[in-house]
Amino acid sequence: MNVLGLKRGVRFVFDEARQRHALLQPEGVQMLNDTAAAVILHRGEIEALAREFEGVDEADIEALVGSLGVLVPEGKAVVIEVAPAKPADRPDPAPFGLLAELTYRCPLKCPYCSNPVDLSGSELDTGSWWRVFQEARDLGVLQLHLSGGEPLARSDLTELVARARSIALYTNLVTSGIGLTSKRLADLKAAGLDHVQLSIQDSDRESADRIAGMKAHERKLAIAELVRAADLPLSINVVLHRHNVSRLREIAELAAAMGAERLELAHTQYYGWGLLNRSSLLPSREQVATADDDAAAFIAEHRATASSPMEIVYVRPDYHDGVPKPCMNGWGSRQLVVSPTGEVMPCPAASVIPDLDPPNVLDSSLSDIWYRSEAFNRFRGTAWMADPCRSCPRKEIDFGGCRCQAFQLTGDAAATDPVCALSPRHDLVTSLVGAAPAVPFTPRRWR
């Protein structure tokens, strides 16, 4: 086997907080054991590994290299960085990711936006975000998702990226692309930006512009070209719903043509503006069944024919499944969210629970919030569960489903998520997923 290198957009770090090596890559963190770390350190070179490990089997090493999915011939040189954090004498769990919602300002008017319908409040200033990033890193956070609204609306975005990179956070820009120029992208890359996730609304220009509420489709295609020219990894994110789901294959083909290395096809989650527009957005059972087939067929064909296949993630709609999603991998388990006003939540929609009373970074440290706040401990683990969740063998897999969805549908955030077929209120969901006629949607508004 030839000596290999890391794929573009992948960083190999030693995380002092956990005393382990890790791979940081677009939308993901892989914590490595000593053997996997040695494979990366030796860049998959079997002779070097054989000298370090007696009795190494070439087939086993090749299998491990393949499972890591980040080493390629003639790739970039392996870069080892120390991700500085305070070696922690702290309890588990420690968060891996921070979603920093820098602003709720956005030029688009997408009717499925999960931002709150009430978008009032003052934004955190640059210094406050710097402190949040440092406290997140000290907690053990490795990935920073810069989102909104539209993060490009922040004039200090480049400064924030530079600060994040200075403390070895992996930075993902989650953007509509509106407002991104070649100069600004060059500045962001120079500041240390690792990855761009670009949203598109449809493959059909007229439909895409109608969903976005502005003529944005052609601009997004141009933005993808800028990202490719800047040699940054590109992910495409598409929210699927009644108005575009019939074109799933065309959307996936467009993402491939745009040069995406990763594609996420995710059915609408009904929070914020998405909940307000649920009757317009919710697809029929027949549409979902067709989308499932189209996604499976495209993935199989793409893997078989593309020279460098995209990573494709297809997220089914839980309203149609009868099985809840493991929301955020469990409440207060791996991720935390900081809103533009400084509220800290276990997930982006948690503010819908009226008595949650999210703590604020202006009043408390992230460490206090993560470990000691009622908001983060309320549904952490499984002890809070009642039956049928408490006795369910899936309780460590789906954690009872989504607390926000449970509240929105039943008025009780501790209830079993009604999307679950075992929920006594499952009828609340089954009554919604018929073939109801489409109705006009209400565009998202900033004020």
Side-chain angles (χ1 to χ4, degrees), residues 30 46 50 66 145 155 166 188 212 230 269 280 297 303 311 320 354 388 431:
Q30 290 188 68
I46 287 179
H145 306 276
S155 61
S166 74
L188 288 166
Q269 297 292 297
S280 173
R303 285 175 178 169
E311 176 190 357
H320 296 74
S431 65

Side-chain angles (χ1 to χ4, degrees), residues 9 18 22 26 130 137 265 323 333 369 378 425 435 444:
R18 297 174 181 84
W130 281 8
R137 186 64 206 100
L265 298 161
V323 177
S333 173
I369 291 169
R378 185 169 175 182
R425 305 304 310 277
R444 177 195 189 273

